[in-house]
CSV table of all heavy atoms in Angstrom, one decimal:
chain,number,residue,atom,x,y,z
B,1,ARG,N,9.4,-0.6,-35.9
B,1,ARG,CA,10.0,-1.3,-34.8
B,1,ARG,C,10.3,-0.3,-33.6
B,1,ARG,O,10.1,-0.7,-32.5
B,1,ARG,CB,11.3,-1.9,-35.2
B,1,ARG,CG,11.1,-2.9,-36.4
B,1,ARG,CD,12.4,-3.5,-36.8
B,1,ARG,NE,13.1,-4.3,-35.8
B,1,ARG,CZ,14.3,-4.6,-35.9
B,1,ARG,NH1,15.1,-4.2,-36.9
B,1,ARG,NH2,14.8,-5.4,-34.9
B,2,TRP,N,10.6,0.9,-33.9
B,2,TRP,CA,10.8,1.9,-32.9
B,2,TRP,C,9.5,2.2,-32.2
B,2,TRP,O,9.5,2.3,-30.9
B,2,TRP,CB,11.4,3.2,-33.5
B,2,TRP,CG,11.7,4.3,-32.5
B,2,TRP,CD1,13.0,4.5,-31.9
B,2,TRP,CD2,10.9,5.3,-31.9
B,2,TRP,NE1,12.9,5.5,-31.0
B,2,TRP,CE2,11.7,6.0,-31.0
B,2,TRP,CE3,9.5,5.6,-32.1
B,2,TRP,CZ2,11.1,7.1,-30.3
B,2,TRP,CZ3,9.0,6.6,-31.4
B,2,TRP,CH2,9.8,7.3,-30.5
B,3,GLN,N,8.4,2.4,-32.9
B,3,GLN,CA,7.1,2.6,-32.3
B,3,GLN,C,6.7,1.5,-31.4
B,3,GLN,O,6.0,1.7,-30.3
B,3,GLN,CB,6.1,3.0,-33.4
B,3,GLN,CG,6.4,4.2,-34.1
B,3,GLN,CD,5.4,4.4,-35.2
B,3,GLN,OE1,4.6,3.6,-35.5
B,3,GLN,NE2,5.4,5.7,-35.8
B,4,ARG,N,6.9,0.2,-31.8
B,4,ARG,CA,6.5,-0.9,-31.0
B,4,ARG,C,7.3,-0.9,-29.7
B,4,ARG,O,6.7,-1.3,-28.7
B,4,ARG,CB,6.8,-2.2,-31.8
B,4,ARG,CG,5.7,-2.4,-32.9
B,4,ARG,CD,5.7,-3.9,-33.4
B,4,ARG,NE,7.0,-4.2,-34.0
B,4,ARG,CZ,7.2,-4.2,-35.3
B,4,ARG,NH1,6.2,-3.7,-36.1
B,4,ARG,NH2,8.3,-4.5,-35.9
B,5,VAL,N,8.6,-0.7,-29.8
B,5,VAL,CA,9.4,-0.7,-28.5
B,5,VAL,C,9.0,0.4,-27.6
B,5,VAL,O,9.0,0.4,-26.4
B,5,VAL,CB,10.9,-0.7,-28.8
B,5,VAL,CG1,11.7,-0.7,-27.6
B,5,VAL,CG2,11.3,-1.9,-29.7
B,6,GLN,N,8.7,1.6,-28.2
B,6,GLN,CA,8.3,2.7,-27.5
B,6,GLN,C,7.0,2.5,-26.7
B,6,GLN,O,6.8,2.9,-25.6
B,6,GLN,CB,8.1,4.0,-28.4
B,6,GLN,CG,7.6,5.2,-27.8
B,6,GLN,CD,8.6,5.9,-26.8
B,6,GLN,OE1,9.8,5.5,-26.8
B,6,GLN,NE2,8.2,6.8,-26.0
B,7,ALA,N,6.1,1.7,-27.4
B,7,ALA,CA,4.8,1.4,-26.8
B,7,ALA,C,5.1,0.5,-25.6
B,7,ALA,O,4.5,0.5,-24.5
B,7,ALA,CB,3.9,0.7,-27.7
B,8,ARG,N,6.0,-0.5,-25.7
B,8,ARG,CA,6.3,-1.5,-24.6
B,8,ARG,C,7.0,-0.7,-23.5
B,8,ARG,O,6.6,-1.0,-22.3
B,8,ARG,CB,7.3,-2.5,-25.1
B,8,ARG,CG,6.7,-3.5,-26.1
B,8,ARG,CD,7.8,-4.4,-26.7
B,8,ARG,NE,8.5,-5.1,-25.7
B,8,ARG,CZ,9.6,-5.8,-25.9
B,8,ARG,NH1,10.1,-5.8,-27.1
B,8,ARG,NH2,10.1,-6.5,-24.9
B,9,LEU,N,7.9,0.2,-23.8
B,9,LEU,CA,8.4,1.1,-22.7
B,9,LEU,C,7.4,1.9,-22.0
B,9,LEU,O,7.4,2.1,-20.7
B,9,LEU,CB,9.5,1.9,-23.3
B,9,LEU,CG,10.3,2.8,-22.3
B,9,LEU,CD1,11.0,1.9,-21.3
B,9,LEU,CD2,11.3,3.7,-23.0
B,10,GLY,N,6.4,2.5,-22.7
B,10,GLY,CA,5.3,3.2,-22.1
B,10,GLY,C,4.5,2.3,-21.2
B,10,GLY,O,4.1,2.7,-20.1
B,11,ARG,N,4.2,1.1,-21.6
B,11,ARG,CA,3.4,0.2,-20.8
B,11,ARG,C,4.1,-0.2,-19.5
B,11,ARG,O,3.5,-0.3,-18.5
B,11,ARG,CB,3.0,-1.1,-21.5
B,11,ARG,CG,2.0,-0.8,-22.6
B,11,ARG,CD,1.4,-2.1,-23.2
B,11,ARG,NE,2.4,-2.9,-23.8
B,11,ARG,CZ,2.7,-2.9,-25.2
B,11,ARG,NH1,2.0,-2.0,-25.9
B,11,ARG,NH2,3.6,-3.6,-25.7
B,12,ALA,N,5.5,-0.3,-19.6
B,12,ALA,CA,6.3,-0.7,-18.5
B,12,ALA,C,6.2,0.5,-17.4
B,12,ALA,O,6.1,0.2,-16.2
B,12,ALA,CB,7.7,-1.0,-18.8
B,13,HIS,N,6.4,1.7,-17.9
B,13,HIS,CA,6.3,2.8,-17.0
B,13,HIS,C,4.9,2.9,-16.4
B,13,HIS,O,4.7,3.3,-15.2
B,13,HIS,CB,6.7,4.1,-17.7
B,13,HIS,CG,8.1,4.4,-17.8
B,13,HIS,ND1,8.9,4.7,-16.7
B,13,HIS,CD2,9.0,4.3,-18.8
B,13,HIS,CE1,10.2,4.9,-17.1
B,13,HIS,NE2,10.2,4.6,-18.4
B,14,ALA,N,3.9,2.7,-17.2
B,14,ALA,CA,2.5,2.8,-16.7
B,14,ALA,C,2.2,1.7,-15.6
B,14,ALA,O,1.5,2.0,-14.6
B,14,ALA,CB,1.5,2.6,-17.9
B,15,ARG,N,2.8,0.5,-15.7
B,15,ARG,CA,2.6,-0.5,-14.7
B,15,ARG,C,3.2,0.0,-13.4
B,15,ARG,O,2.6,-0.3,-12.4
B,15,ARG,CB,3.3,-1.8,-15.2
B,15,ARG,CG,3.1,-3.0,-14.3
B,15,ARG,CD,3.8,-4.2,-14.8
B,15,ARG,NE,3.5,-5.4,-13.9
B,15,ARG,CZ,4.2,-5.6,-12.8
B,15,ARG,NH1,5.4,-4.9,-12.6
B,15,ARG,NH2,4.0,-6.6,-12.0
B,16,VAL,N,4.4,0.6,-13.5
B,16,VAL,CA,5.0,1.1,-12.2
B,16,VAL,C,4.1,2.2,-11.5
B,16,VAL,O,3.8,2.1,-10.3
B,16,VAL,CB,6.4,1.7,-12.5
B,16,VAL,CG1,7.0,2.4,-11.3
B,16,VAL,CG2,7.3,0.6,-13.0
B,17,ALA,N,3.5,3.0,-12.4
B,17,ALA,CA,2.7,4.1,-11.9
B,17,ALA,C,1.4,3.5,-11.3
B,17,ALA,O,0.9,3.9,-10.2
B,17,ALA,CB,2.3,5.1,-12.9
B,18,HIS,N,0.8,2.5,-11.9
B,18,HIS,CA,-0.3,1.8,-11.4
B,18,HIS,C,-0.1,1.1,-10.1
B,18,HIS,O,-0.9,1.2,-9.1
B,18,HIS,CB,-0.9,0.9,-12.5
B,18,HIS,CG,-1.4,1.5,-13.7
B,18,HIS,ND1,-1.6,0.9,-14.9
B,18,HIS,CD2,-1.7,2.8,-13.9
B,18,HIS,CE1,-2.0,1.7,-15.8
B,18,HIS,NE2,-2.1,2.9,-15.3
B,19,LEU,N,1.0,0.4,-10.0
B,19,LEU,CA,1.3,-0.3,-8.7
B,19,LEU,C,1.5,0.7,-7.6
B,19,LEU,O,1.1,0.5,-6.5
B,19,LEU,CB,2.6,-1.1,-8.9
B,19,LEU,CG,2.5,-2.4,-9.8
B,19,LEU,CD1,3.9,-3.0,-10.0
B,19,LEU,CD2,1.5,-3.4,-9.2
B,20,ARG,N,2.2,1.8,-7.9
B,20,ARG,CA,2.4,2.8,-6.8
B,20,ARG,C,1.1,3.4,-6.4
B,20,ARG,O,0.8,3.6,-5.2
B,20,ARG,CB,3.4,3.9,-7.4
B,20,ARG,CG,3.7,5.0,-6.4
B,20,ARG,CD,4.4,6.2,-7.0
B,20,ARG,NE,5.6,5.7,-7.6
B,20,ARG,CZ,5.9,5.8,-8.9
B,20,ARG,NH1,5.0,6.3,-9.7
B,20,ARG,NH2,7.0,5.4,-9.4
B,21,ARG,N,0.2,3.7,-7.3
B,21,ARG,CA,-1.0,4.3,-7.0
B,21,ARG,C,-1.9,3.4,-6.2
B,21,ARG,O,-2.7,3.8,-5.3
B,21,ARG,CB,-1.8,4.8,-8.3
B,21,ARG,CG,-3.0,5.6,-8.0
B,21,ARG,CD,-3.7,6.1,-9.3
B,21,ARG,NE,-2.8,6.8,-10.2
B,21,ARG,CZ,-2.3,6.4,-11.3
B,21,ARG,NH1,-2.7,5.2,-11.8
B,21,ARG,NH2,-1.5,7.2,-12.0
B,22,ASP,N,-1.9,2.1,-6.6
B,22,ASP,CA,-2.7,1.1,-5.9
B,22,ASP,C,-2.3,1.0,-4.4
B,22,ASP,O,-3.1,1.0,-3.5
B,22,ASP,CB,-2.6,-0.2,-6.6
B,22,ASP,CG,-3.4,-1.3,-5.9
B,22,ASP,OD1,-4.7,-1.2,-5.9
B,22,ASP,OD2,-2.8,-2.2,-5.2
B,23,GLY,N,-1.0,0.9,-4.1
B,23,GLY,CA,-0.5,0.9,-2.8
B,23,GLY,C,-0.9,2.1,-2.0
B,23,GLY,O,-1.2,2.0,-0.8
B,24,LEU,N,-0.7,3.3,-2.5
B,24,LEU,CA,-1.1,4.5,-1.8
B,24,LEU,C,-2.5,4.5,-1.5
B,24,LEU,O,-2.9,5.0,-0.4
B,24,LEU,CB,-0.6,5.7,-2.6
B,24,LEU,CG,0.9,5.9,-2.8
B,24,LEU,CD1,1.2,7.1,-3.7
B,24,LEU,CD2,1.6,6.1,-1.5
B,25,HIS,N,-3.4,4.1,-2.4
B,25,HIS,CA,-4.8,4.1,-2.2
B,25,HIS,C,-5.2,3.2,-1.0
B,25,HIS,O,-6.0,3.5,-0.1
B,25,HIS,CB,-5.6,3.6,-3.4
B,25,HIS,CG,-5.9,4.8,-4.4
B,25,HIS,ND1,-6.8,5.8,-4.0
B,25,HIS,CD2,-5.5,5.1,-5.6
B,25,HIS,CE1,-6.9,6.7,-4.9
B,25,HIS,NE2,-6.1,6.3,-6.0
B,26,LYS,N,-4.6,2.0,-1.0
B,26,LYS,CA,-4.9,1.1,0.1
B,26,LYS,C,-4.5,1.6,1.5
B,26,LYS,O,-5.2,1.5,2.4
B,26,LYS,CB,-4.2,-0.2,-0.2
B,26,LYS,CG,-4.8,-1.0,-1.4
B,26,LYS,CD,-4.1,-2.3,-1.7
B,26,LYS,CE,-4.6,-3.0,-2.8
B,26,LYS,NZ,-4.0,-4.3,-3.2
B,27,LEU,N,-3.3,2.3,1.5
B,27,LEU,CA,-2.8,2.8,2.7
B,27,LEU,C,-3.7,3.9,3.2
B,27,LEU,O,-4.0,4.0,4.4
B,27,LEU,CB,-1.3,3.3,2.6
B,27,LEU,CG,-0.7,4.0,3.7
B,27,LEU,CD1,-0.7,3.2,5.0
B,27,LEU,CD2,0.7,4.5,3.4
B,28,THR,N,-3.9,4.9,2.3
B,28,THR,CA,-4.7,6.1,2.8
B,28,THR,C,-6.1,5.8,3.1
B,28,THR,O,-6.7,6.3,4.0
B,28,THR,CB,-4.7,7.2,1.7
B,28,THR,OG1,-5.1,6.6,0.4
B,28,THR,CG2,-3.2,7.7,1.4
B,29,THR,N,-6.6,4.8,2.4
B,29,THR,CA,-8.0,4.4,2.7
B,29,THR,C,-8.1,3.8,4.1
B,29,THR,O,-9.1,4.0,4.9
B,29,THR,CB,-8.5,3.3,1.7
B,29,THR,OG1,-8.6,4.0,0.4
B,29,THR,CG2,-10.0,2.9,2.0
B,30,ARG,N,-7.2,2.9,4.4
B,30,ARG,CA,-7.1,2.3,5.7
B,30,ARG,C,-6.9,3.3,6.9
B,30,ARG,O,-7.6,3.3,7.9
B,30,ARG,CB,-6.0,1.3,5.8
B,30,ARG,CG,-5.8,0.6,7.1
B,30,ARG,CD,-4.9,-0.6,7.1
B,30,ARG,NE,-3.6,-0.3,6.6
B,30,ARG,CZ,-2.6,0.1,7.5
B,30,ARG,NH1,-2.9,0.1,8.8
B,30,ARG,NH2,-1.4,0.4,7.1
B,31,LEU,N,-6.0,4.3,6.7
B,31,LEU,CA,-5.8,5.3,7.7
B,31,LEU,C,-7.1,6.2,7.9
B,31,LEU,O,-7.4,6.4,9.1
B,31,LEU,CB,-4.6,6.2,7.3
B,31,LEU,CG,-3.2,5.5,7.3
B,31,LEU,CD1,-2.2,6.5,6.8
B,31,LEU,CD2,-2.9,4.9,8.7
B,32,THR,N,-7.7,6.6,6.9
B,32,THR,CA,-8.8,7.5,7.0
B,32,THR,C,-10.0,6.8,7.5
B,32,THR,O,-10.9,7.5,8.1
B,32,THR,CB,-9.1,8.2,5.7
B,32,THR,OG1,-9.2,7.2,4.7
B,32,THR,CG2,-7.9,9.1,5.3
B,33,ARG,N,-10.2,5.6,7.2
B,33,ARG,CA,-11.3,4.8,7.7
B,33,ARG,C,-11.2,4.4,9.2
B,33,ARG,O,-12.2,4.2,9.9
B,33,ARG,CB,-11.6,3.6,6.9
B,33,ARG,CG,-12.2,3.9,5.5
B,33,ARG,CD,-12.5,2.7,4.8
B,33,ARG,NE,-13.1,3.0,3.5
B,33,ARG,CZ,-13.4,2.0,2.6
B,33,ARG,NH1,-13.2,0.7,2.9
B,33,ARG,NH2,-14.0,2.4,1.4
B,34,GLU,N,-10.0,4.3,9.6
B,34,GLU,CA,-9.8,3.8,11.0
B,34,GLU,C,-9.6,5.0,12.0
B,34,GLU,O,-10.2,4.9,13.1
B,34,GLU,CB,-8.6,2.9,11.1
B,34,GLU,CG,-8.3,2.3,12.4
B,34,GLU,CD,-7.2,1.3,12.4
B,34,GLU,OE1,-6.6,1.1,11.2
B,34,GLU,OE2,-6.7,0.9,13.4
B,35,HIS,N,-8.9,6.0,11.7
B,35,HIS,CA,-8.5,7.1,12.6
B,35,HIS,C,-9.3,8.4,12.3
B,35,HIS,O,-9.5,8.7,11.2
B,35,HIS,CB,-7.0,7.4,12.6
B,35,HIS,CG,-6.2,6.2,12.8
B,35,HIS,ND1,-5.9,5.7,14.1
B,35,HIS,CD2,-5.5,5.3,11.9
B,35,HIS,CE1,-5.1,4.7,14.0
B,35,HIS,NE2,-4.9,4.4,12.7
B,36,GLY,N,-9.7,9.0,13.4
B,36,GLY,CA,-10.5,10.3,13.2
B,36,GLY,C,-9.6,11.4,12.8
B,36,GLY,O,-10.1,12.4,12.2
B,37,THR,N,-8.4,11.5,13.2
B,37,THR,CA,-7.4,12.6,13.0
B,37,THR,C,-6.2,12.0,12.5
B,37,THR,O,-5.5,11.2,13.1
B,37,THR,CB,-7.2,13.5,14.2
B,37,THR,OG1,-8.4,13.9,14.8
B,37,THR,CG2,-6.3,14.6,13.9
B,38,VAL,N,-5.7,12.6,11.3
B,38,VAL,CA,-4.5,12.1,10.7
B,38,VAL,C,-3.6,13.4,10.6
B,38,VAL,O,-4.1,14.4,10.2
B,38,VAL,CB,-4.7,11.6,9.3
B,38,VAL,CG1,-3.3,11.1,8.7
B,38,VAL,CG2,-5.7,10.4,9.3
B,39,VAL,N,-2.4,13.3,11.1
B,39,VAL,CA,-1.4,14.4,11.1
B,39,VAL,C,-0.3,14.1,10.2
B,39,VAL,O,0.4,13.1,10.4
B,39,VAL,CB,-0.9,14.7,12.5
B,39,VAL,CG1,-0.1,16.0,12.5
B,39,VAL,CG2,-2.1,14.9,13.5
B,40,ALA,N,-0.1,14.9,9.2
B,40,ALA,CA,1.0,14.7,8.3
B,40,ALA,C,1.9,16.0,8.2
B,40,ALA,O,1.7,17.0,8.8
B,40,ALA,CB,0.5,14.4,6.9
B,41,GLU,N,3.0,15.9,7.4
B,41,GLU,CA,3.9,17.0,7.3
B,41,GLU,C,3.8,17.7,6.0
B,41,GLU,O,3.3,17.1,5.0
B,41,GLU,CB,5.4,16.4,7.3
B,41,GLU,CG,5.8,15.9,8.7
B,41,GLU,CD,7.3,15.4,8.7
B,41,GLU,OE1,7.5,14.3,8.0
B,41,GLU,OE2,8.1,16.0,9.3
B,42,ASP,N,4.1,18.9,6.0
B,42,ASP,CA,4.2,19.7,4.8
B,42,ASP,C,5.6,19.7,4.2
B,42,ASP,O,6.4,20.6,4.5
B,42,ASP,CB,3.7,21.2,5.0
B,42,ASP,CG,3.7,22.1,3.7
B,42,ASP,OD1,3.7,21.4,2.7
B,42,ASP,OD2,3.7,23.3,3.9
B,43,LEU,N,5.9,18.8,3.4
B,43,LEU,CA,7.3,18.5,3.0
B,43,LEU,C,7.6,19.4,1.8
B,43,LEU,O,6.8,19.7,0.9
B,43,LEU,CB,7.5,17.1,2.6
B,43,LEU,CG,7.3,16.0,3.7
B,43,LEU,CD1,7.5,14.7,3.2
B,43,LEU,CD2,8.4,16.3,4.9
B,44,ASN,N,8.8,19.8,1.7
B,44,ASN,CA,9.4,20.6,0.6
B,44,ASN,C,9.9,19.6,-0.4
B,44,ASN,O,11.1,19.4,-0.5
B,44,ASN,CB,10.4,21.6,1.1
B,44,ASN,CG,10.9,22.5,0.0
B,44,ASN,OD1,10.3,22.6,-1.1
B,44,ASN,ND2,12.1,23.0,0.2
B,45,VAL,N,9.1,19.0,-1.2
B,45,VAL,CA,9.5,17.9,-2.0
B,45,VAL,C,10.4,18.5,-3.2
B,45,VAL,O,11.4,17.8,-3.5
B,45,VAL,CB,8.3,17.2,-2.6
B,45,VAL,CG1,8.7,16.1,-3.6
B,45,VAL,CG2,7.4,16.6,-1.5
B,46,SER,N,10.1,19.6,-3.7
B,46,SER,CA,10.9,20.2,-4.7
B,46,SER,C,12.3,20.5,-4.3
B,46,SER,O,13.3,20.3,-5.0
B,46,SER,CB,10.3,21.4,-5.3
B,46,SER,OG,10.2,22.4,-4.3
């Protein structure tokens, strides 16, 4: 039962990661196909 719930929790986290990645792909694809120069920041994320 622990393993089954652990698998469900992993799938829930994977769904969040897939949704995030899909949205970023759509945004970056649109920007790079439309504009010749893209300027971004070098953020100190850590």
Side-chain angles (χ1 to χ4, degrees):
R1 299 177 69 194
W2 186 92
Q3 292 179 351
R4 286 196 294 267
V5 178
Q6 177 70 12
R8 292 171 59 191
L9 183 61
R11 289 194 295 269
H13 278 288
R15 182 177 183 274
V16 173
H18 294 162
L19 291 173
R20 182 188 301 118
R21 189 180 301 112
D22 178 70
L24 293 178
H25 271 297
K26 291 178 179 177
L27 172 62
T28 54
T29 298
R30 177 168 62 88
L31 292 178
T32 54
R33 287 183 177 178
E34 183 177 355
H35 303 280
T37 302
V38 181
V39 187
E41 291 180 291
D42 181 20
L43 296 176
N44 182 18
V45 179
S46 59

